[in-house]
């Protein structure tokens, strides 16, 4: 018996783990983390794991980051929390100002919550309520994309097109319209990613022609549908959707919970299409992976539709920890690192290093659709159907043996590392992932 084993057993007895068939832990190990340092997590026995997926896509600048730690320690002695109704504080004001400035003032109003699903529900409610305040209460339907993922609360599931969740909880959910995904992997011979994107936009246009009078908003994950298996698309899709939303009077909600904060190469993914949506949802990386924080940014025209003497025309939504000062300070420290370290620029070098280290995988005979967008890498395993079900668990387990934290989605293996990998980390990650993949697919 070792320390890790005892802690895992206690956890399995008392903790119900997220999105997990708990019985699988009879064969799949549970890893008790004792501490983290940079890109590495350490378990109770001193074994280490390179966090190649940023702990579910949240960690941007490593674990126990000295600058974020210092900001939090400072904030702890000032104010841990105060309610945001009737009160305000410097961290939430500064964060709203700085984020608004990153959109050139276009999305100058920030509304706060604690998790991504809540941010999605806030954007949906705000859109609906905007239309009702504008005398168009019949606009109450939503549109999402095939394979979309926007969170797992009952409201967010309405715009989430994941069969597993839909089948389990479908009867509870008011379903949105589902339109074609612009996933570039659907390209027919001779077709470009932009062709696929235009074809998907035509599918949306058909729906809007018919029903735009009842539709409040479309929600998209710009550039990468992450939970769908890192499905990437051409930015022209976002331009087309923006144009259609303007033509048909429908809001565009950009769920940048996973793709925001520099993940795709620009701070907001939408910047690469040269458009601004009507709402942006942020969470995950915004606090550097430290504390639960989410927010919705929107335009002045939307904000003004709620501005009134009548409380019922105000936006009726709140959470106990709205605008938590500690989380906002972590976010401010995160934004400061982006600026001070020229992170977006330096990520281009980091991306080139890791891409080079992944060359043998890109050329592997069992690899299809090797792809990258910014600091996201993905490829699909070309394996028989009967091997697919156990593939993610086998990769995860083999990766742990080789000091890597990697969790495939179906047949898709992806990397979403923190923005701090040095050339040695990248070389190690590329070499070990190749070994892991060979262990599993050549077995
Ligand atoms: C993770 C995620 C969410 C949900 O965020 P939670 O904090 O897990 O509720 C929503 N949308 C996207 C695109 C995500 O990746």
């Amino acid at each position: 018996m070792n320390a890790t084993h005892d802690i895992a057993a206690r956890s399995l007895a008392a903790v119900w783990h997220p999105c997990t068939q708990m019985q699988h832990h009879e064969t799949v190990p549970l890893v008790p983390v004792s501490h983290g340092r940079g890109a590495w997590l350490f378990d109770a026995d001193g074994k280490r794991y390179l966090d190649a997926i940023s702990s579910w896509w949240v960690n941007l600048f490593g674990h126990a980051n000295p600058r974020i730690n210092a900001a939090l320690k400072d904030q702890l002695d000032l104010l841990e929390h105060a309610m945001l109704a009737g009160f305000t504080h410097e961290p939430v004001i500064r964060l709203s100002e700085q984020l608004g400035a990153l959109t050139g003032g276009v999305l100058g109003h920030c509304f706060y919550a604690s998790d991504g699903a809540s941010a999605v529900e806030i954007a949906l409610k705000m859109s609906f309520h905007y239309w009702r305040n504008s005398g168009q209460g019949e606009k109450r339907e939503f549109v999402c994309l095939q394979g979309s993922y926007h969170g797992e609360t009952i409201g967010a599931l309405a715009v989430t097109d994941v069969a597993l969740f839909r089948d389990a909880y479908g009867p509870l959910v008011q379903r949105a319209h589902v339109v074609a995904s612009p996933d570039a992997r659907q390209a027919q011979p001779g077709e470009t990613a932009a062709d696929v994107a235009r074809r998907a936009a035509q599918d949306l246009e058909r729906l809007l022609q018919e029903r735009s009078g009842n539709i409040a908003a479309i929600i998209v994950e710009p550039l990468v549908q992450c939970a769908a298996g890192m499905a990437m698309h051409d930015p022209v899709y976002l331009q087309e959707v923006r144009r259609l939303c303007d033509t048909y009077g429908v809001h565009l909600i950009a769920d940048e919970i996973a793709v925001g904060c520099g993940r795709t190469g620009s701070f907001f993914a939408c910047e690469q299409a040269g458009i601004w949506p009507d709402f942006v949802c942020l969470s995950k990386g915004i606090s550097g992976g430290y504390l639960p924080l989410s927010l919705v940014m929107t335009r002045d025209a939307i904000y003004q539709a709620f501005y009134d003497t009548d409380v019922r025309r105000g936006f009726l939504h709140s959470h106990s920890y709205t605008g938590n000062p500690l989380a906002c300070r972590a976010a401010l420290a995160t934004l400061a690192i982006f600026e001070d370290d020229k992170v977006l620029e330096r990520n281009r070098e980091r991306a080139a290093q890791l891409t080079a280290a992944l060359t043998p995988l890109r050329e592997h005979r069992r690899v299809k659709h090797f792809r990258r967008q910014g600091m996201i890498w993905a490829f699909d395993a070309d394996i028989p159907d009967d091997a697919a079900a156990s593939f993610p668990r086998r990769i995860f387990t083999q990766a742990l043996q080789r000091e890597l934290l990697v969790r495939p989605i179906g047949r898709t293996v992806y990397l979403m590392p923190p923005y701090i990998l040095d050339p040695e980390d990248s070389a190690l990650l590329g070499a070990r992932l190749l070994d892991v993949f060979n262990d599993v697919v050549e077995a």
Side-chain angles (χ1 to χ4, degrees):
M1 288 285 155
N2 49 29
T4 300
H5 188 276
D6 293 345
I7 301 168
R10 277 173 45 224
S11 190
L12 291 175
V15 180
W16 198 336
H17 290 265
C19 216
T20 298
Q21 172 47 265
M22 294 295 291
Q23 199 196 54
H24 287 167
H25 279 303
E26 289 182 10
T27 50
V28 178
L30 185 65
V31 183
V33 178
S34 72
H35 63 286
R37 192 66 80 223
W40 294 88
L41 291 168
F42 297 83
D43 75 11
D45 294 324
K47 281 210 223 117
R48 59 173 202 165
Y49 306 94
L50 183 65
D51 189 353
I53 57 168
S54 298
S55 285
W56 258 355
W57 322 345
V58 300
N59 188 288
L60 300 190
F61 298 119
H63 299 280
N65 181 285
R67 282 183 275 178
I68 303 175
N69 286 7
L72 283 174
K73 285 173 185 164
D74 180 62
Q75 184 60 39
L76 259 182
D77 286 330
L78 288 170
L79 176 68
E80 80 300 331
H81 184 67
M83 64 188 287
L84 201 63
F87 287 80
T88 192
H89 49 77
E90 201 56 39
V92 79
I93 299 168
R94 271 169 41 215
L95 182 57
S96 310
E97 289 172 345
Q98 290 185 21
L99 287 170
L102 288 174
T103 69
V106 174
L107 304 170
H109 300 275
C110 279
F111 193 96
Y112 288 84
S114 314
D115 58 70
S118 297
V120 165
E121 296 205 13
I122 286 164
L124 298 177
K125 281 174 70 176
M126 250 183 207
S127 172
F128 161 74
H129 201 164
Y130 166 90
W131 293 116
R132 203 176 59 187
N133 280 352
S134 312
Q136 292 186 262
E138 67 286 355
K139 284 170 84 71
R140 64 169 86 116
E141 296 170 11
F142 298 100
V143 183
C144 64
L145 305 191
Q146 249 161 32
S148 57
Y149 179 92
H150 298 289
E152 295 169 43
T153 56
I154 289 174
L157 276 178
V159 286
T160 288
D161 182 47
V162 174
L164 183 67
F165 303 147
R166 193 185 45 236
D167 296 348
Y169 307 108
L172 305 180
V173 171
Q174 215 177 0
R175 292 288 300 152
H177 301 280
V178 181
V179 294
S181 162
D183 180 353
R185 287 175 298 181
Q186 300 172 76
Q188 304 295 323
E191 247 189 347
T192 63
D195 295 333
V196 179
R198 288 199 192 88
R199 191 148 43 77
Q202 283 162 11
D203 190 47
L204 171 63
E205 179 151 30
R206 277 190 291 276
L207 173 68
L208 294 180
Q209 274 166 353
E210 206 180 294
R211 278 207 77 78
S212 64
N214 299 90
I215 292 173
I218 174 169
I219 183 165
V220 299
E221 297 158 81
L223 298 186
V224 189
Q225 293 182 276
C226 296
M230 305 299 155
M232 299 182 183
H233 59 254
D234 192 282
V236 78
Y237 182 71
L238 303 171
Q239 292 162 358
E240 287 291 292
V241 173
R242 178 70 274 175
R243 183 179 65 75
L244 293 172
C245 284
D246 291 341
T247 306
Y248 290 93
V250 165
H251 288 143
L252 171 53
I253 302 171
D255 177 349
E256 298 225 6
I257 290 168
V259 295
C261 302
R263 187 50 77 178
T264 65
S266 44
F267 189 83
F268 296 101
C270 282
E271 292 174 64
Q272 296 184 48
I275 59 126
W276 290 114
D278 303 297
F279 302 90
V280 166
C281 303
L282 284 184
S283 187
K284 291 208 163 91
I286 188 61
S287 71
Y290 267 67
L291 287 160
L293 180 69
S294 67
L295 57 101
V296 178
M297 303 169 69
T298 192
R299 295 172 185 267
D300 197 51
I302 289 172
Y303 174 79
Q304 291 301 339
F306 292 80
Y307 202 80
D308 199 272
T309 51
D310 185 351
V311 70
R312 288 167 305 177
R313 288 176 64 91
F315 185 54
L316 305 172
H317 193 101
S318 58
H319 293 284
S320 312
Y321 284 98
T322 298
N324 175 258
L326 284 165
C328 290
R329 271 302 287 278
L332 286 166
T334 299
L335 293 183
I337 294 173
F338 269 102
E339 173 135 350
D340 296 345
D341 292 3
K342 300 199 169 22
V343 169
L344 297 177
E345 218 174 289
R346 291 193 44 209
N347 275 358
R348 287 197 270 278
E349 291 158 40
R350 292 193 183 97
Q353 284 156 6
L354 185 52
T355 301
L358 294 171
T359 303
L361 275 163
R362 175 201 283 262
E363 292 165 358
H364 199 287
R365 68 189 181 92
R366 297 297 202 99
V367 164
K368 281 197 306 196
H369 300 302
F370 185 98
R371 54 201 183 273
R372 177 181 77 88
Q373 174 71 57
M375 294 295 280
I376 306 174
W377 290 256
F379 59 85
D380 301 344
D382 193 2
I383 47 174
D385 287 344
D386 61 353
S390 65
F391 177 77
R393 269 185 277 156
R394 284 162 66 216
I395 291 278
F396 174 74
T397 311
Q398 287 298 326
L400 290 180
Q401 307 283 333
R402 296 184 188 271
E403 299 188 318
L404 301 183
L405 168 48
V406 179
R407 263 179 70 115
I409 301 171
R411 294 160 190 255
T412 300
V413 179
Y414 72 89
L415 301 174
M416 243 207 226
Y419 310 159
I420 55 166
L421 291 194
D422 57 29
E424 294 75 50
D425 292 333
S426 289
L428 179 147
L429 180 51
R432 302 241 180 126
L433 188 63
L434 176 64
D435 292 341
V436 170
F437 189 70
N438 278 330
D439 285 349
V440 172
V441 300
E442 310 288 8

